Amino acid sequence: MIRIYNTLTQQKEIFTPIEPGKVRMYVCGMTVYDYCHLGHARVLVAFDVVTRYLRNRGYDVTYVRNITDIDDKILRRAEENGEPFTDLTERMIAAMHEDEARLGVLSPSAEPRATDYIAEIIAMINTLIESDHAYATDNGDVYFSVESFEGYGKLSKKKLEDLLAGARIDVHEAKRSPADFALWKAAGEGEVSWPSPWGNGRPGWHIECSAMSNRCLGDTFDIHGGGPDLLFPHHENEIAQSECATGHTFVNTWMHAGAIRVNKEKMSKSLGNFFTIREILERYPPEVVRFFLVSSHYRSQVDYSEDNLAEAGRSLARLYHALRGIVPANSGDVPETDHDRRFVELMSDDFNCAGAISVLHALANDINQHRREGRDGEAKEAATVMIRLGAILGLLQQDPDVFFQADSGGELSAADIEAKIQARAGARKAKDFAGADRIRDELAEQGIILDDSREGTNWRRS
């Protein structure tokens, strides 16, 4: 039994998919005019974990994450760059795929692009006009009439009268009410556009997701997710136009990831605390960044700071250190344990990843204790459980030595380090302990930590 916090009802609910054994989920993806930032990483990783866990529990998950590849921001950026907008979007989509792969994010089942669904968008707008939920203006714009949908505000808990109070209509707009939003934008001479019954133009942002999700998942589907900034107006508008177009409930469960703050301030370019994923990955290993994002509950606010990333690195290193030097048993040979059951209990309670990670640390403690007591078989079994549970979070799938010895751009290569370790071993054999200590200290100064054991010397980057 899985319980999920539903933003619509503001409470945890037992998750019951529309079709037994199958889950249909849509998550709002990127508007591809720039590189993905840390807030995008939060959403990418959060719903990757949701997908992994649901599949682990036996569900057949269809995960759709769209790409907005036509938008005013895209057109402005392409004009600034002096390039076709399609060149810009293709480059940014490729970069997004690189970033998500480095973070261990699995590809969605489908990744529809808005420009491939123009016909579906136009058809949905036509349906809304015919049912008096939308109207075309003389200049070729089409707007959704918010007052025509009685349930407007049910997701965000905003009241229409409050939204209308003091609101004004821009002099360039021809909409009837300040709360109405664009479904179709008329294009000027020479602008990127598609033909439509109302003249050449391009779709508004909100209608894209309704058309794509409807085509890919049907009138009603199980889960809709996204970042916290999308709850209003984007998701509210999606509900309004979708339910007016189909006459059915749009989504059963709404999920929203928590916001990212940087040193306890909102992340924004104006404050100079805005980081792209690739900027962060230049400074921290990808799995450390993923661990940092997974360590907090997906709905909670995450504070990005040097200290918090460093602590995430130390915490992940403790897990890998427990696995180091162990050849795990075959997963199929290790039956379900109390740790497995506790992990499932926590993850089934609204995907409590922070609690699930505490189970991994408990397993690490068990492994270390088994090793101290010479119970190697039990250590191997605990390591197997730890790795298979870590996989559900997208963690602990590297060889520990690869994790510890990954090149972080330092001066010493792995071969250089191994040569120094051999030189140190030679010095110790010759009873030149001062020379051996000097090599250890030299390595430590360059961030290389040596771990001596009866099996030999392992090394890791600090």
Side-chain angles (χ1 to χ4, degrees):
M1 184 182 297
I2 296 174
R3 298 168 71 234
I4 302 177
Y5 182 87
N6 188 348
T7 309
L8 182 67
T9 61
Q10 297 188 333
Q11 62 184 8
K12 291 181 185 178
E13 299 172 343
I14 295 173
F15 177 63
T16 306
I18 298 166
E19 186 177 353
K22 297 187 177 182
V23 177
R24 287 175 285 157
M25 180 170 72
Y26 184 93
V27 174
C28 289
M30 314 309 156
T31 300
V32 285
Y33 71 100
D34 206 343
Y35 293 113
C36 294
H37 56 66
L38 188 60
H40 294 141
R42 170 75 157 149
V43 173
L44 287 168
V45 171
F47 287 99
D48 180 64
V49 171
V50 169
T51 302
R52 286 171 182 263
Y53 185 68
L54 290 173
R55 287 175 176 161
N56 175 264
R57 301 316 297 161
Y59 289 103
D60 178 7
V61 180
T62 300
Y63 174 22
V64 178
R65 191 185 69 218
N66 78 293
I67 293 175
T68 296
D69 60 345
I70 182 63
D71 178 86
D72 291 347
K73 291 179 180 178
I74 292 172
L75 297 178
R76 281 197 298 270
R77 181 61 58 83
E79 185 177 0
E80 291 169 4
N81 293 350
E83 64 180 328
F85 84 96
T86 50
D87 288 359
L88 171 65
T89 57
E90 288 298 330
R91 190 169 66 255
M92 291 300 104
I93 290 169
M96 176 185 71
H97 289 159
E98 291 171 4
D99 291 342
E100 67 186 40
R102 293 185 67 192
L103 288 173
V105 174
L106 303 176
S107 298
S109 309
E111 199 171 46
R113 302 185 185 191
T115 54
D116 291 333
Y117 286 77
I118 299 298
E120 288 81 358
I121 290 168
I122 290 173
M124 183 171 278
I125 295 173
N126 259 328
T127 298
L128 291 169
I129 292 175
E130 290 170 359
S131 57
D132 293 326
H133 290 293
Y135 55 92
T137 65
D138 291 340
N139 68 352
D141 290 335
V142 181
Y143 290 94
F144 180 86
S145 175
V146 168
E147 292 178 81
S148 74
F149 180 56
E150 186 177 348
Y152 195 80
K154 63 183 177 180
L155 180 66
S156 61
K157 314 307 175 194
K158 295 181 183 292
K159 295 181 179 179
L160 183 57
E161 53 267 32
D162 293 337
L163 295 172
L164 293 174
R168 293 181 173 84
I169 297 176
D170 189 284
V171 293
H172 299 294
E173 296 178 314
K175 57 185 179 181
R176 298 171 184 170
S177 169
D180 294 350
F181 57 88
L183 299 174
W184 188 259
K185 299 180 179 182
E189 186 67 30
E191 291 183 345
V192 175
S193 64
W194 288 263
S196 81
W198 321 287
N200 291 344
R202 58 182 181 272
W205 176 37
H206 311 299
I207 194 68
E208 296 174 4
C209 283
S210 287
M212 287 187 281
S213 63
N214 179 267
R215 176 64 182 273
C216 295
L217 299 174
D219 289 353
T220 306
F221 52 93
D222 299 295
I223 298 173
H224 194 314
D229 55 322
L230 300 182
L231 196 155
F232 184 87
H234 184 55
H235 290 163
E236 194 73 71
N237 291 351
E238 277 190 73
I239 291 175
Q241 63 202 11
S242 295
E243 296 192 356
C244 287
T246 68
H248 297 103
T249 297
F250 179 38
V251 174
N252 287 344
T253 301
W254 285 88
M255 298 177 66
H256 290 89
I260 291 283
R261 290 171 68 84
V262 178
N263 293 319
K264 300 182 179 179
E265 291 186 304
K266 181 179 179 181
M267 186 177 74
S268 72
K269 289 184 177 179
S270 61
L271 293 174
N273 62 359
F274 182 90
F275 300 103
T276 65
I277 294 173
R278 48 194 49 209
E279 285 173 336
I280 295 168
L281 295 183
E282 287 177 0
R283 304 172 61 187
Y284 299 96
E287 192 171 354
V288 169
V289 177
R290 183 182 177 100
F291 186 89
F292 164 72
L293 295 170
V294 169
S295 297
S296 300
H297 193 280
Y298 77 90
R299 285 191 289 115
S300 67
Q301 186 171 274
V302 173
D303 189 41
Y304 174 88
S305 68
E306 298 284 338
D307 289 344
N308 290 344
L309 260 294
E311 176 54 36
R314 289 189 290 269
S315 185
L316 181 59
R318 285 194 290 273
L319 298 179
Y320 267 116
H321 201 280
L323 294 173
R324 200 168 194 184
I326 291 182
V327 178
N330 188 307
S331 183
D333 295 336
V334 180
E336 184 180 69
T337 67
D338 287 341
H339 288 303
D340 287 281
R341 288 184 280 273
R342 179 58 177 159
F343 185 95
V344 168
E345 178 186 356
L346 289 162
M347 286 295 288
S348 293
D349 183 13
D350 197 31
F351 309 99
N352 183 355
C353 291
I357 284 176
S358 72
V359 175
L360 300 183
H361 280 290
L363 279 160
N365 291 338
D366 287 354
I367 293 169
N368 293 332
Q369 183 174 343
H370 293 327
R371 291 172 116 175
R372 285 193 298 270
E373 296 173 356
R375 293 182 287 166
D376 292 344
E378 291 176 60
K380 288 182 178 181
E381 290 187 356
T384 299
V385 175
M386 188 172 167
I387 292 168
R388 77 183 177 201
L389 295 182
I392 299 171
L393 303 178
L395 301 171
L396 303 177
Q397 303 307 292
Q398 297 186 72
D399 181 281
D401 283 341
V402 172
F403 171 78
F404 284 119
Q405 298 174 6
D407 187 0
S408 57
E411 294 180 1
L412 288 181
S413 68
D416 292 334
I417 296 166
E418 291 291 352
K420 286 183 176 292
I421 289 174
Q422 291 302 316
R424 176 173 174 265
R428 295 173 73 183
K429 187 175 182 179
K431 301 191 183 304
D432 179 10
F433 298 113
D437 289 344
R438 185 168 58 255
I439 293 172
R440 173 188 281 274
D441 293 342
E442 289 172 356
L443 288 170
E445 287 175 2
Q446 298 185 66
I448 308 302
I449 309 301
L450 302 185
D451 297 315
D452 293 319
S453 69
R454 60 188 178 186
E455 288 85 18
T457 300
N458 285 319
W459 61 272
R460 53 191 168 89
R461 298 185 192 272
S462 62

mmCIF file of all heavy atoms in Angstrom, residues 402-431:
data_model
loop_
_atom_site.group_PDB
_atom_site.id
_atom_site.type_symbol
_atom_site.label_atom_id
_atom_site.label_comp_id
_atom_site.label_asym_id
_atom_site.label_seq_id
_atom_site.Cartn_x
_atom_site.Cartn_y
_atom_site.Cartn_z
ATOM 1 N N VAL A 402 36.031 2.923 -7.729
ATOM 2 C CA VAL A 402 35.759 3.913 -8.774
ATOM 3 C C VAL A 402 35.219 5.194 -8.140
ATOM 4 O O VAL A 402 35.610 6.308 -8.512
ATOM 5 C CB VAL A 402 34.751 3.353 -9.800
ATOM 6 C CG1 VAL A 402 34.318 4.450 -10.774
ATOM 7 C CG2 VAL A 402 35.367 2.182 -10.562
ATOM 8 N N PHE A 403 34.327 5.035 -7.150
ATOM 9 C CA PHE A 403 33.786 6.214 -6.466
ATOM 10 C C PHE A 403 34.890 6.988 -5.753
ATOM 11 O O PHE A 403 35.003 8.206 -5.891
ATOM 12 C CB PHE A 403 32.714 5.785 -5.461
ATOM 13 C CG PHE A 403 32.250 6.908 -4.561
ATOM 14 C CD1 PHE A 403 31.363 7.860 -5.021
ATOM 15 C CD2 PHE A 403 32.738 7.017 -3.261
ATOM 16 C CE1 PHE A 403 30.952 8.910 -4.201
ATOM 17 C CE2 PHE A 403 32.330 8.061 -2.437
ATOM 18 C CZ PHE A 403 31.427 9.006 -2.915
ATOM 19 N N PHE A 404 35.710 6.286 -4.986
ATOM 20 C CA PHE A 404 36.723 6.960 -4.178
ATOM 21 C C PHE A 404 37.868 7.519 -5.002
ATOM 22 O O PHE A 404 38.496 8.494 -4.623
ATOM 23 C CB PHE A 404 37.283 6.009 -3.116
ATOM 24 C CG PHE A 404 36.368 5.800 -1.955
ATOM 25 C CD1 PHE A 404 35.880 4.546 -1.654
ATOM 26 C CD2 PHE A 404 35.970 6.864 -1.156
ATOM 27 C CE1 PHE A 404 35.027 4.339 -0.585
ATOM 28 C CE2 PHE A 404 35.125 6.678 -0.078
ATOM 29 C CZ PHE A 404 34.638 5.410 0.211
ATOM 30 N N GLN A 405 38.142 6.895 -6.142
ATOM 31 C CA GLN A 405 39.321 7.284 -6.904
ATOM 32 C C GLN A 405 38.996 8.108 -8.141
ATOM 33 O O GLN A 405 39.877 8.381 -8.946
ATOM 34 C CB GLN A 405 40.093 6.021 -7.291
ATOM 35 C CG GLN A 405 40.589 5.250 -6.084
ATOM 36 C CD GLN A 405 41.238 3.930 -6.433
ATOM 37 O OE1 GLN A 405 41.432 3.611 -7.600
ATOM 38 N NE2 GLN A 405 41.581 3.151 -5.417
ATOM 39 N N ALA A 406 37.734 8.515 -8.269
ATOM 40 C CA ALA A 406 37.340 9.314 -9.436
ATOM 41 C C ALA A 406 38.167 10.582 -9.505
ATOM 42 O O ALA A 406 38.378 11.260 -8.500
ATOM 43 C CB ALA A 406 35.857 9.653 -9.353
ATOM 44 N N ASP A 407 38.659 10.887 -10.694
ATOM 45 C CA ASP A 407 39.495 12.070 -10.907
ATOM 46 C C ASP A 407 38.651 13.319 -10.770
ATOM 47 O O ASP A 407 37.661 13.498 -11.468
ATOM 48 C CB ASP A 407 40.134 12.021 -12.296
ATOM 49 C CG ASP A 407 41.142 13.135 -12.509
ATOM 50 O OD1 ASP A 407 41.342 13.935 -11.574
ATOM 51 O OD2 ASP A 407 41.713 13.199 -13.602
ATOM 52 N N SER A 408 39.030 14.186 -9.847
ATOM 53 C CA SER A 408 38.297 15.436 -9.643
ATOM 54 C C SER A 408 39.063 16.620 -10.210
ATOM 55 O O SER A 408 38.862 17.755 -9.816
ATOM 56 C CB SER A 408 38.059 15.659 -8.136
ATOM 57 O OG SER A 408 39.292 15.673 -7.443
ATOM 58 N N GLY A 409 39.965 16.344 -11.132
ATOM 59 C CA GLY A 409 40.721 17.432 -11.750
ATOM 60 C C GLY A 409 42.010 17.749 -11.037
ATOM 61 O O GLY A 409 42.673 18.735 -11.342
ATOM 62 N N GLY A 410 42.396 16.899 -10.066
ATOM 63 C CA GLY A 410 43.643 17.129 -9.349
ATOM 64 C C GLY A 410 44.857 16.837 -10.214
ATOM 65 O O GLY A 410 44.755 16.309 -11.320
ATOM 66 N N GLU A 411 46.029 17.143 -9.667
ATOM 67 C CA GLU A 411 47.245 16.969 -10.453
ATOM 68 C C GLU A 411 47.654 15.507 -10.555
ATOM 69 O O GLU A 411 48.255 15.087 -11.536
ATOM 70 C CB GLU A 411 48.377 17.788 -9.821
ATOM 71 C CG GLU A 411 48.142 19.299 -9.892
ATOM 72 C CD GLU A 411 49.281 20.062 -9.254
ATOM 73 O OE1 GLU A 411 50.239 19.411 -8.793
ATOM 74 O OE2 GLU A 411 49.228 21.291 -9.221
ATOM 75 N N LEU A 412 47.373 14.710 -9.527
ATOM 76 C CA LEU A 412 47.829 13.326 -9.503
ATOM 77 C C LEU A 412 46.845 12.399 -10.191
ATOM 78 O O LEU A 412 45.655 12.383 -9.871
ATOM 79 C CB LEU A 412 48.025 12.865 -8.056
ATOM 80 C CG LEU A 412 49.226 13.442 -7.294
ATOM 81 C CD1 LEU A 412 49.266 12.865 -5.893
ATOM 82 C CD2 LEU A 412 50.523 13.135 -8.020
ATOM 83 N N SER A 413 47.335 11.611 -11.132
ATOM 84 C CA SER A 413 46.511 10.594 -11.761
ATOM 85 C C SER A 413 46.515 9.346 -10.888
ATOM 86 O O SER A 413 47.308 9.217 -9.947
ATOM 87 C CB SER A 413 47.060 10.250 -13.150
ATOM 88 O OG SER A 413 48.318 9.594 -13.019
ATOM 89 N N ALA A 414 45.619 8.413 -11.212
ATOM 90 C CA ALA A 414 45.578 7.159 -10.459
ATOM 91 C C ALA A 414 46.916 6.438 -10.538
ATOM 92 O O ALA A 414 47.390 5.859 -9.553
ATOM 93 C CB ALA A 414 44.450 6.279 -10.993
ATOM 94 N N ALA A 415 47.558 6.470 -11.726
ATOM 95 C CA ALA A 415 48.853 5.801 -11.887
ATOM 96 C C ALA A 415 49.920 6.448 -11.002
ATOM 97 O O ALA A 415 50.753 5.755 -10.396
ATOM 98 C CB ALA A 415 49.281 5.837 -13.354
ATOM 99 N N ASP A 416 49.897 7.793 -10.913
ATOM 100 C CA ASP A 416 50.854 8.502 -10.055
ATOM 101 C C ASP A 416 50.679 8.091 -8.598
ATOM 102 O O ASP A 416 51.657 7.876 -7.866
ATOM 103 C CB ASP A 416 50.661 10.011 -10.179
ATOM 104 C CG ASP A 416 51.041 10.550 -11.554
ATOM 105 O OD1 ASP A 416 51.886 9.907 -12.216
ATOM 106 O OD2 ASP A 416 50.484 11.585 -11.957
ATOM 107 N N ILE A 417 49.425 7.996 -8.186
ATOM 108 C CA ILE A 417 49.137 7.660 -6.793
ATOM 109 C C ILE A 417 49.590 6.243 -6.482
ATOM 110 O O ILE A 417 50.209 5.975 -5.446
ATOM 111 C CB ILE A 417 47.630 7.842 -6.509
ATOM 112 C CG1 ILE A 417 47.251 9.318 -6.671
ATOM 113 C CG2 ILE A 417 47.269 7.346 -5.109
ATOM 114 C CD1 ILE A 417 45.752 9.563 -6.751
ATOM 115 N N GLU A 418 49.288 5.308 -7.385
ATOM 116 C CA GLU A 418 49.696 3.919 -7.173
ATOM 117 C C GLU A 418 51.224 3.815 -7.088
ATOM 118 O O GLU A 418 51.762 3.039 -6.286
ATOM 119 C CB GLU A 418 49.164 3.037 -8.308
ATOM 120 C CG GLU A 418 47.655 2.858 -8.329
ATOM 121 C CD GLU A 418 47.136 2.026 -7.170
ATOM 122 O OE1 GLU A 418 47.970 1.455 -6.418
ATOM 123 O OE2 GLU A 418 45.905 1.957 -7.012
ATOM 124 N N ALA A 419 51.921 4.610 -7.894
ATOM 125 C CA ALA A 419 53.392 4.585 -7.857
ATOM 126 C C ALA A 419 53.908 5.060 -6.505
ATOM 127 O O ALA A 419 54.861 4.482 -5.941
ATOM 128 C CB ALA A 419 53.954 5.450 -8.982
ATOM 129 N N LYS A 420 53.261 6.088 -5.952
ATOM 130 C CA LYS A 420 53.683 6.603 -4.642
ATOM 131 C C LYS A 420 53.372 5.596 -3.534
ATOM 132 O O LYS A 420 54.129 5.462 -2.562
ATOM 133 C CB LYS A 420 53.015 7.949 -4.362
ATOM 134 C CG LYS A 420 53.604 9.100 -5.186
ATOM 135 C CD LYS A 420 52.974 10.418 -4.826
ATOM 136 C CE LYS A 420 53.644 11.572 -5.590
ATOM 137 N NZ LYS A 420 55.045 11.795 -5.134
ATOM 138 N N ILE A 421 52.239 4.900 -3.681
ATOM 139 C CA ILE A 421 51.902 3.887 -2.684
ATOM 140 C C ILE A 421 52.939 2.764 -2.706
ATOM 141 O O ILE A 421 53.354 2.252 -1.650
ATOM 142 C CB ILE A 421 50.480 3.338 -2.949
ATOM 143 C CG1 ILE A 421 49.431 4.412 -2.614
ATOM 144 C CG2 ILE A 421 50.222 2.074 -2.140
ATOM 145 C CD1 ILE A 421 48.014 4.030 -2.983
ATOM 146 N N GLN A 422 53.370 2.371 -3.900
ATOM 147 C CA GLN A 422 54.407 1.341 -3.997
ATOM 148 C C GLN A 422 55.726 1.831 -3.395
ATOM 149 O O GLN A 422 56.433 1.074 -2.707
ATOM 150 C CB GLN A 422 54.609 0.942 -5.464
ATOM 151 C CG GLN A 422 53.434 0.192 -6.072
ATOM 152 C CD GLN A 422 53.108 -1.082 -5.319
ATOM 153 O OE1 GLN A 422 54.015 -1.853 -4.954
ATOM 154 N NE2 GLN A 422 51.826 -1.303 -5.060
ATOM 155 N N ALA A 423 56.032 3.096 -3.637
ATOM 156 C CA ALA A 423 57.262 3.658 -3.063
ATOM 157 C C ALA A 423 57.171 3.678 -1.539
ATOM 158 O O ALA A 423 58.156 3.388 -0.836
ATOM 159 C CB ALA A 423 57.481 5.072 -3.599
ATOM 160 N N ARG A 424 56.007 3.982 -1.028
ATOM 161 C CA ARG A 424 55.801 3.989 0.428
ATOM 162 C C ARG A 424 55.934 2.575 0.988
ATOM 163 O O ARG A 424 56.540 2.377 2.058
ATOM 164 C CB ARG A 424 54.419 4.563 0.750
ATOM 165 C CG ARG A 424 54.060 4.533 2.231
ATOM 166 C CD ARG A 424 52.756 5.277 2.468
ATOM 167 N NE ARG A 424 52.299 5.154 3.836
ATOM 168 C CZ ARG A 424 51.429 4.251 4.275
ATOM 169 N NH1 ARG A 424 50.895 3.387 3.407
ATOM 170 N NH2 ARG A 424 51.074 4.209 5.545
ATOM 171 N N ALA A 425 55.369 1.595 0.266
ATOM 172 C CA ALA A 425 55.489 0.212 0.721
ATOM 173 C C ALA A 425 56.956 -0.216 0.765
ATOM 174 O O ALA A 425 57.402 -0.913 1.696
ATOM 175 C CB ALA A 425 54.677 -0.701 -0.191
ATOM 176 N N GLY A 426 57.726 0.224 -0.241
ATOM 177 C CA GLY A 426 59.152 -0.098 -0.259
ATOM 178 C C GLY A 426 59.887 0.537 0.908
ATOM 179 O O GLY A 426 60.769 -0.085 1.517
ATOM 180 N N ALA A 427 59.524 1.781 1.233
ATOM 181 C CA ALA A 427 60.166 2.464 2.349
ATOM 182 C C ALA A 427 59.858 1.759 3.664
ATOM 183 O O ALA A 427 60.739 1.594 4.524
ATOM 184 C CB ALA A 427 59.695 3.919 2.407
ATOM 185 N N ARG A 428 58.602 1.319 3.816
ATOM 186 C CA ARG A 428 58.241 0.629 5.052
ATOM 187 C C ARG A 428 58.978 -0.709 5.170
ATOM 188 O O ARG A 428 59.395 -1.108 6.254
ATOM 189 C CB ARG A 428 56.718 0.425 5.095
ATOM 190 C CG ARG A 428 55.950 1.731 5.180
ATOM 191 C CD ARG A 428 54.456 1.525 5.045
ATOM 192 N NE ARG A 428 53.870 0.917 6.242
ATOM 193 C CZ ARG A 428 52.593 0.587 6.341
ATOM 194 N NH1 ARG A 428 51.785 0.770 5.289
ATOM 195 N NH2 ARG A 428 52.118 0.068 7.448
ATOM 196 N N LYS A 429 59.114 -1.395 4.032
ATOM 197 C CA LYS A 429 59.819 -2.684 4.045
ATOM 198 C C LYS A 429 61.277 -2.490 4.435
ATOM 199 O O LYS A 429 61.884 -3.343 5.122
ATOM 200 C CB LYS A 429 59.706 -3.330 2.661
ATOM 201 C CG LYS A 429 60.254 -4.738 2.611
ATOM 202 C CD LYS A 429 60.008 -5.377 1.245
ATOM 203 C CE LYS A 429 60.523 -6.816 1.221
ATOM 204 N NZ LYS A 429 60.266 -7.461 -0.116
ATOM 205 N N ALA A 430 61.844 -1.348 4.018
ATOM 206 C CA ALA A 430 63.232 -1.040 4.358
ATOM 207 C C ALA A 430 63.360 -0.377 5.723
ATOM 208 O O ALA A 430 64.446 0.078 6.097
ATOM 209 C CB ALA A 430 63.839 -0.138 3.285
ATOM 210 N N LYS A 431 62.228 -0.315 6.460
ATOM 211 C CA LYS A 431 62.169 0.298 7.792
ATOM 212 C C LYS A 431 62.498 1.793 7.770
ATOM 213 O O LYS A 431 62.946 2.365 8.772
ATOM 214 C CB LYS A 431 63.078 -0.453 8.782
ATOM 215 C CG LYS A 431 62.717 -1.921 8.947
ATOM 216 C CD LYS A 431 63.453 -2.545 10.114
ATOM 217 C CE LYS A 431 63.149 -4.035 10.226
ATOM 218 N NZ LYS A 431 61.713 -4.334 10.346
#
